[in-house]
PDB file of all heavy atoms in Angstrom:
ATOM      1  N   GLY N 256     -23.503  24.855  42.433  1.00 97.00           N
ATOM      2  CA  GLY N 256     -22.752  23.652  42.794  1.00 97.00           C
ATOM      3  C   GLY N 256     -21.774  23.950  43.921  1.00 97.00           C
ATOM      4  O   GLY N 256     -21.909  24.953  44.617  1.00 97.00           O
ATOM      5  N   PRO N 257     -20.765  23.087  44.074  1.00 98.00           N
ATOM      6  CA  PRO N 257     -20.556  21.866  43.294  1.00 98.00           C
ATOM      7  C   PRO N 257     -21.339  20.696  43.884  1.00 98.00           C
ATOM      8  O   PRO N 257     -21.498  20.589  45.099  1.00 98.00           O
ATOM      9  CB  PRO N 257     -19.045  21.638  43.430  1.00 98.00           C
ATOM     10  CG  PRO N 257     -18.707  22.201  44.786  1.00 98.00           C
ATOM     11  CD  PRO N 257     -19.632  23.369  44.985  1.00 98.00           C
ATOM     12  N   ILE N 258     -21.818  19.826  42.998  1.00 98.00           N
ATOM     13  CA  ILE N 258     -22.479  18.596  43.441  1.00 98.00           C
ATOM     14  C   ILE N 258     -21.961  17.439  42.578  1.00 98.00           C
ATOM     15  O   ILE N 258     -21.648  17.630  41.406  1.00 98.00           O
ATOM     16  CB  ILE N 258     -24.013  18.684  43.366  1.00 98.00           C
ATOM     17  CG1 ILE N 258     -24.490  18.987  41.943  1.00 98.00           C
ATOM     18  CG2 ILE N 258     -24.539  19.723  44.360  1.00 98.00           C
ATOM     19  CD1 ILE N 258     -26.001  18.875  41.764  1.00 98.00           C
ATOM     20  N   PRO N 259     -21.891  16.237  43.143  1.00 98.00           N
ATOM     21  CA  PRO N 259     -21.309  15.108  42.396  1.00 98.00           C
ATOM     22  C   PRO N 259     -22.150  14.674  41.206  1.00 98.00           C
ATOM     23  O   PRO N 259     -21.616  14.102  40.243  1.00 98.00           O
ATOM     24  CB  PRO N 259     -21.198  13.999  43.443  1.00 98.00           C
ATOM     25  CG  PRO N 259     -22.159  14.375  44.529  1.00 98.00           C
ATOM     26  CD  PRO N 259     -22.193  15.864  44.533  1.00 98.00           C
ATOM     27  N   GLU N 260     -23.453  14.940  41.245  1.00 98.00           N
ATOM     28  CA  GLU N 260     -24.326  14.501  40.162  1.00 98.00           C
ATOM     29  C   GLU N 260     -24.126  15.292  38.872  1.00 98.00           C
ATOM     30  O   GLU N 260     -24.383  14.774  37.782  1.00 98.00           O
ATOM     31  CB  GLU N 260     -25.803  14.604  40.586  1.00 98.00           C
ATOM     32  CG  GLU N 260     -26.191  13.734  41.755  1.00 98.00           C
ATOM     33  CD  GLU N 260     -25.961  14.397  43.103  1.00 98.00           C
ATOM     34  OE1 GLU N 260     -25.276  15.449  43.166  1.00 98.00           O
ATOM     35  OE2 GLU N 260     -26.465  13.861  44.109  1.00 98.00           O
ATOM     36  N   GLU N 261     -23.693  16.557  38.972  1.00 98.00           N
ATOM     37  CA  GLU N 261     -23.644  17.409  37.782  1.00 98.00           C
ATOM     38  C   GLU N 261     -22.283  18.046  37.507  1.00 98.00           C
ATOM     39  O   GLU N 261     -21.855  18.129  36.358  1.00 98.00           O
ATOM     40  CB  GLU N 261     -24.693  18.531  37.892  1.00 98.00           C
ATOM     41  CG  GLU N 261     -26.129  18.052  38.051  1.00 98.00           C
ATOM     42  CD  GLU N 261     -26.612  17.218  36.872  1.00 98.00           C
ATOM     43  OE1 GLU N 261     -26.135  17.431  35.737  1.00 98.00           O
ATOM     44  OE2 GLU N 261     -27.473  16.349  37.080  1.00 98.00           O
ATOM     45  N   THR N 262     -21.603  18.522  38.529  1.00 98.00           N
ATOM     46  CA  THR N 262     -20.393  19.317  38.297  1.00 98.00           C
ATOM     47  C   THR N 262     -19.278  18.546  37.589  1.00 98.00           C
ATOM     48  O   THR N 262     -18.677  19.078  36.641  1.00 98.00           O
ATOM     49  CB  THR N 262     -19.886  19.938  39.608  1.00 98.00           C
ATOM     50  OG1 THR N 262     -20.982  20.557  40.296  1.00 98.00           O
ATOM     51  CG2 THR N 262     -18.811  20.969  39.336  1.00 98.00           C
ATOM     52  N   PRO N 263     -18.971  17.292  37.972  1.00 98.00           N
ATOM     53  CA  PRO N 263     -17.926  16.580  37.221  1.00 98.00           C
ATOM     54  C   PRO N 263     -18.281  16.412  35.741  1.00 98.00           C
ATOM     55  O   PRO N 263     -17.394  16.508  34.882  1.00 98.00           O
ATOM     56  CB  PRO N 263     -17.837  15.232  37.941  1.00 98.00           C
ATOM     57  CG  PRO N 263     -18.290  15.526  39.336  1.00 98.00           C
ATOM     58  CD  PRO N 263     -19.388  16.535  39.167  1.00 98.00           C
ATOM     59  N   TRP N 264     -19.547  16.184  35.447  1.00 98.00           N
ATOM     60  CA  TRP N 264     -19.968  16.084  34.047  1.00 98.00           C
ATOM     61  C   TRP N 264     -19.739  17.412  33.328  1.00 98.00           C
ATOM     62  O   TRP N 264     -19.258  17.437  32.189  1.00 98.00           O
ATOM     63  CB  TRP N 264     -21.447  15.695  33.973  1.00 98.00           C
ATOM     64  CG  TRP N 264     -21.962  15.628  32.571  1.00 98.00           C
ATOM     65  CD1 TRP N 264     -21.878  14.570  31.702  1.00 98.00           C
ATOM     66  CD2 TRP N 264     -22.622  16.687  31.856  1.00 98.00           C
ATOM     67  NE1 TRP N 264     -22.448  14.904  30.491  1.00 98.00           N
ATOM     68  CE2 TRP N 264     -22.909  16.194  30.556  1.00 98.00           C
ATOM     69  CE3 TRP N 264     -22.999  17.983  32.182  1.00 98.00           C
ATOM     70  CZ2 TRP N 264     -23.561  16.971  29.591  1.00 98.00           C
ATOM     71  CZ3 TRP N 264     -23.645  18.756  31.226  1.00 98.00           C
ATOM     72  CH2 TRP N 264     -23.917  18.248  29.945  1.00 98.00           C
ATOM     73  N   VAL N 265     -20.067  18.530  33.977  1.00 98.00           N
ATOM     74  CA  VAL N 265     -19.824  19.848  33.383  1.00 98.00           C
ATOM     75  C   VAL N 265     -18.335  20.019  33.091  1.00 98.00           C
ATOM     76  O   VAL N 265     -17.950  20.487  32.009  1.00 98.00           O
ATOM     77  CB  VAL N 265     -20.319  20.975  34.314  1.00 98.00           C
ATOM     78  CG1 VAL N 265     -19.820  22.342  33.835  1.00 98.00           C
ATOM     79  CG2 VAL N 265     -21.841  20.973  34.392  1.00 98.00           C
ATOM     80  N   LEU N 266     -17.493  19.632  34.028  1.00 98.00           N
ATOM     81  CA  LEU N 266     -16.046  19.767  33.827  1.00 98.00           C
ATOM     82  C   LEU N 266     -15.577  18.948  32.623  1.00 98.00           C
ATOM     83  O   LEU N 266     -14.698  19.389  31.873  1.00 98.00           O
ATOM     84  CB  LEU N 266     -15.307  19.331  35.093  1.00 98.00           C
ATOM     85  CG  LEU N 266     -15.523  20.208  36.330  1.00 98.00           C
ATOM     86  CD1 LEU N 266     -14.851  19.595  37.545  1.00 98.00           C
ATOM     87  CD2 LEU N 266     -15.031  21.631  36.101  1.00 98.00           C
ATOM     88  N   GLU N 267     -16.169  17.786  32.410  1.00 98.00           N
ATOM     89  CA  GLU N 267     -15.815  16.966  31.245  1.00 98.00           C
ATOM     90  C   GLU N 267     -16.198  17.666  29.940  1.00 98.00           C
ATOM     91  O   GLU N 267     -15.426  17.662  28.974  1.00 98.00           O
ATOM     92  CB  GLU N 267     -16.526  15.614  31.324  1.00 98.00           C
ATOM     93  CG  GLU N 267     -16.001  14.699  32.412  1.00 98.00           C
ATOM     94  CD  GLU N 267     -16.843  13.442  32.546  1.00 98.00           C
ATOM     95  OE1 GLU N 267     -17.788  13.263  31.732  1.00 98.00           O
ATOM     96  OE2 GLU N 267     -16.572  12.649  33.466  1.00 98.00           O
ATOM     97  N   GLN N 268     -17.377  18.284  29.918  1.00 98.00           N
ATOM     98  CA  GLN N 268     -17.812  18.981  28.703  1.00 98.00           C
ATOM     99  C   GLN N 268     -16.900  20.171  28.408  1.00 98.00           C
ATOM    100  O   GLN N 268     -16.501  20.405  27.258  1.00 98.00           O
ATOM    101  CB  GLN N 268     -19.264  19.477  28.858  1.00 98.00           C
ATOM    102  CG  GLN N 268     -20.264  18.417  29.258  1.00 98.00           C
ATOM    103  CD  GLN N 268     -20.176  17.169  28.415  1.00 98.00           C
ATOM    104  OE1 GLN N 268     -20.272  17.235  27.183  1.00 98.00           O
ATOM    105  NE2 GLN N 268     -19.969  16.025  29.052  1.00 98.00           N
ATOM    106  N   LEU N 269     -16.545  20.917  29.427  1.00 98.00           N
ATOM    107  CA  LEU N 269     -15.677  22.072  29.245  1.00 98.00           C
ATOM    108  C   LEU N 269     -14.297  21.654  28.750  1.00 98.00           C
ATOM    109  O   LEU N 269     -13.706  22.315  27.891  1.00 98.00           O
ATOM    110  CB  LEU N 269     -15.560  22.850  30.556  1.00 98.00           C
ATOM    111  CG  LEU N 269     -16.856  23.476  31.101  1.00 98.00           C
ATOM    112  CD1 LEU N 269     -16.605  24.111  32.462  1.00 98.00           C
ATOM    113  CD2 LEU N 269     -17.432  24.498  30.133  1.00 98.00           C
ATOM    114  N   ALA N 270     -13.805  20.548  29.286  1.00 98.00           N
ATOM    115  CA  ALA N 270     -12.463  20.092  28.907  1.00 98.00           C
ATOM    116  C   ALA N 270     -12.384  19.748  27.423  1.00 98.00           C
ATOM    117  O   ALA N 270     -11.331  19.926  26.789  1.00 98.00           O
ATOM    118  CB  ALA N 270     -12.070  18.885  29.753  1.00 98.00           C
ATOM    119  N   GLU N 271     -13.476  19.276  26.850  1.00 97.00           N
ATOM    120  CA  GLU N 271     -13.479  18.915  25.426  1.00 97.00           C
ATOM    121  C   GLU N 271     -13.178  20.108  24.525  1.00 97.00           C
ATOM    122  O   GLU N 271     -12.681  19.955  23.417  1.00 97.00           O
ATOM    123  CB  GLU N 271     -14.828  18.306  25.040  1.00 97.00           C
ATOM    124  CG  GLU N 271     -15.009  16.867  25.481  1.00 97.00           C
ATOM    125  CD  GLU N 271     -16.178  16.216  24.777  1.00 97.00           C
ATOM    126  OE1 GLU N 271     -16.455  16.575  23.612  1.00 97.00           O
ATOM    127  OE2 GLU N 271     -16.814  15.358  25.403  1.00 97.00           O
ATOM    128  N   TYR N 272     -13.495  21.315  25.012  1.00 97.00           N
ATOM    129  CA  TYR N 272     -13.329  22.521  24.196  1.00 97.00           C
ATOM    130  C   TYR N 272     -12.300  23.473  24.795  1.00 97.00           C
ATOM    131  O   TYR N 272     -12.211  24.629  24.372  1.00 97.00           O
ATOM    132  CB  TYR N 272     -14.683  23.228  24.046  1.00 97.00           C
ATOM    133  CG  TYR N 272     -15.669  22.391  23.268  1.00 97.00           C
ATOM    134  CD1 TYR N 272     -16.506  21.497  23.925  1.00 97.00           C
ATOM    135  CD2 TYR N 272     -15.729  22.457  21.882  1.00 97.00           C
ATOM    136  CE1 TYR N 272     -17.402  20.702  23.215  1.00 97.00           C
ATOM    137  CE2 TYR N 272     -16.607  21.673  21.160  1.00 97.00           C
ATOM    138  CZ  TYR N 272     -17.433  20.798  21.832  1.00 97.00           C
ATOM    139  OH  TYR N 272     -18.311  20.002  21.122  1.00 97.00           O
ATOM    140  N   ASP N 273     -11.540  22.977  25.772  1.00 96.00           N
ATOM    141  CA  ASP N 273     -10.578  23.821  26.482  1.00 96.00           C
ATOM    142  C   ASP N 273     -11.267  25.104  26.956  1.00 96.00           C
ATOM    143  O   ASP N 273     -10.698  26.199  26.878  1.00 96.00           O
ATOM    144  CB  ASP N 273      -9.374  24.149  25.597  1.00 96.00           C
ATOM    145  CG  ASP N 273      -8.219  24.745  26.392  1.00 96.00           C
ATOM    146  OD1 ASP N 273      -8.122  24.449  27.597  1.00 96.00           O
ATOM    147  OD2 ASP N 273      -7.443  25.539  25.826  1.00 96.00           O
ATOM    148  N   ALA N 274     -12.497  24.969  27.414  1.00 98.00           N
ATOM    149  CA  ALA N 274     -13.302  26.113  27.865  1.00 98.00           C
ATOM    150  C   ALA N 274     -13.098  26.313  29.360  1.00 98.00           C
ATOM    151  O   ALA N 274     -13.154  25.352  30.135  1.00 98.00           O
ATOM    152  CB  ALA N 274     -14.774  25.866  27.560  1.00 98.00           C
ATOM    153  N   LYS N 275     -12.863  27.545  29.758  1.00 98.00           N
ATOM    154  CA  LYS N 275     -12.715  27.872  31.166  1.00 98.00           C
ATOM    155  C   LYS N 275     -13.985  28.563  31.662  1.00 98.00           C
ATOM    156  O   LYS N 275     -14.692  29.242  30.902  1.00 98.00           O
ATOM    157  CB  LYS N 275     -11.508  28.786  31.395  1.00 98.00           C
ATOM    158  CG  LYS N 275     -10.190  28.203  30.887  1.00 98.00           C
ATOM    159  CD  LYS N 275      -9.923  26.813  31.449  1.00 98.00           C
ATOM    160  CE  LYS N 275      -8.632  26.217  30.889  1.00 98.00           C
ATOM    161  NZ  LYS N 275      -8.472  24.806  31.264  1.00 98.00           N
ATOM    162  N   ALA N 276     -14.288  28.392  32.950  1.00 98.00           N
ATOM    163  CA  ALA N 276     -15.527  28.927  33.494  1.00 98.00           C
ATOM    164  C   ALA N 276     -15.315  29.365  34.934  1.00 98.00           C
ATOM    165  O   ALA N 276     -14.330  29.008  35.584  1.00 98.00           O
ATOM    166  CB  ALA N 276     -16.635  27.879  33.417  1.00 98.00           C
ATOM    167  N   LEU N 277     -16.267  30.137  35.407  1.00 98.00           N
ATOM    168  CA  LEU N 277     -16.304  30.602  36.796  1.00 98.00           C
ATOM    169  C   LEU N 277     -17.510  29.946  37.465  1.00 98.00           C
ATOM    170  O   LEU N 277     -18.642  30.123  37.013  1.00 98.00           O
ATOM    171  CB  LEU N 277     -16.414  32.127  36.823  1.00 98.00           C
ATOM    172  CG  LEU N 277     -16.656  32.842  38.146  1.00 98.00           C
ATOM    173  CD1 LEU N 277     -15.648  32.442  39.209  1.00 98.00           C
ATOM    174  CD2 LEU N 277     -16.627  34.355  37.928  1.00 98.00           C
ATOM    175  N   PHE N 278     -17.249  29.179  38.511  1.00 98.00           N
ATOM    176  CA  PHE N 278     -18.301  28.463  39.225  1.00 98.00           C
ATOM    177  C   PHE N 278     -18.669  29.237  40.492  1.00 98.00           C
ATOM    178  O   PHE N 278     -17.839  29.397  41.388  1.00 98.00           O
ATOM    179  CB  PHE N 278     -17.831  27.060  39.603  1.00 98.00           C
ATOM    180  CG  PHE N 278     -17.716  26.125  38.429  1.00 98.00           C
ATOM    181  CD1 PHE N 278     -16.595  26.152  37.602  1.00 98.00           C
ATOM    182  CD2 PHE N 278     -18.726  25.216  38.142  1.00 98.00           C
ATOM    183  CE1 PHE N 278     -16.483  25.286  36.523  1.00 98.00           C
ATOM    184  CE2 PHE N 278     -18.633  24.352  37.061  1.00 98.00           C
ATOM    185  CZ  PHE N 278     -17.511  24.388  36.242  1.00 98.00           C
ATOM    186  N   PHE N 279     -19.913  29.720  40.554  1.00 98.00           N
ATOM    187  CA  PHE N 279     -20.397  30.399  41.750  1.00 98.00           C
ATOM    188  C   PHE N 279     -20.982  29.346  42.682  1.00 98.00           C
ATOM    189  O   PHE N 279     -22.042  28.779  42.429  1.00 98.00           O
ATOM    190  CB  PHE N 279     -21.421  31.468  41.381  1.00 98.00           C
ATOM    191  CG  PHE N 279     -20.774  32.704  40.819  1.00 98.00           C
ATOM    192  CD1 PHE N 279     -20.706  32.908  39.453  1.00 98.00           C
ATOM    193  CD2 PHE N 279     -20.195  33.634  41.661  1.00 98.00           C
ATOM    194  CE1 PHE N 279     -20.080  34.030  38.934  1.00 98.00           C
ATOM    195  CE2 PHE N 279     -19.561  34.766  41.156  1.00 98.00           C
ATOM    196  CZ  PHE N 279     -19.510  34.957  39.796  1.00 98.00           C
ATOM    197  N   CYS N 280     -20.255  29.099  43.759  1.00 98.00           N
ATOM    198  CA  CYS N 280     -20.521  27.948  44.617  1.00 98.00           C
ATOM    199  C   CYS N 280     -21.324  28.329  45.855  1.00 98.00           C
ATOM    200  O   CYS N 280     -21.083  29.372  46.476  1.00 98.00           O
ATOM    201  CB  CYS N 280     -19.194  27.336  45.068  1.00 98.00           C
ATOM    202  SG  CYS N 280     -18.127  26.817  43.710  1.00 98.00           S
ATOM    203  N   VAL N 281     -22.239  27.465  46.220  1.00 98.00           N
ATOM    204  CA  VAL N 281     -22.933  27.558  47.498  1.00 98.00           C
ATOM    205  C   VAL N 281     -22.024  26.944  48.562  1.00 98.00           C
ATOM    206  O   VAL N 281     -21.528  25.821  48.401  1.00 98.00           O
ATOM    207  CB  VAL N 281     -24.284  26.829  47.428  1.00 98.00           C
ATOM    208  CG1 VAL N 281     -24.941  26.765  48.797  1.00 98.00           C
ATOM    209  CG2 VAL N 281     -25.207  27.521  46.421  1.00 98.00           C
TER     210      VAL N 281
END
């Protein structure tokens, strides 16, 4: 990513569990 079709949705899922992640971006 990041792309508008998927990345914001991923961020919403992570926020539900207070999960942090590392995004390897193109």
Side-chain angles (χ1 to χ4, degrees):
I258 58 171
E260 298 87 347
E261 301 299 331
T262 312
W264 178 84
V265 169
L266 294 174
E267 290 174 4
Q268 306 311 305
L269 297 175
E271 283 195 32
Y272 295 90
D273 193 27
K275 303 306 178 189
L277 172 53
F278 288 81
F279 283 98
C280 302
V281 173

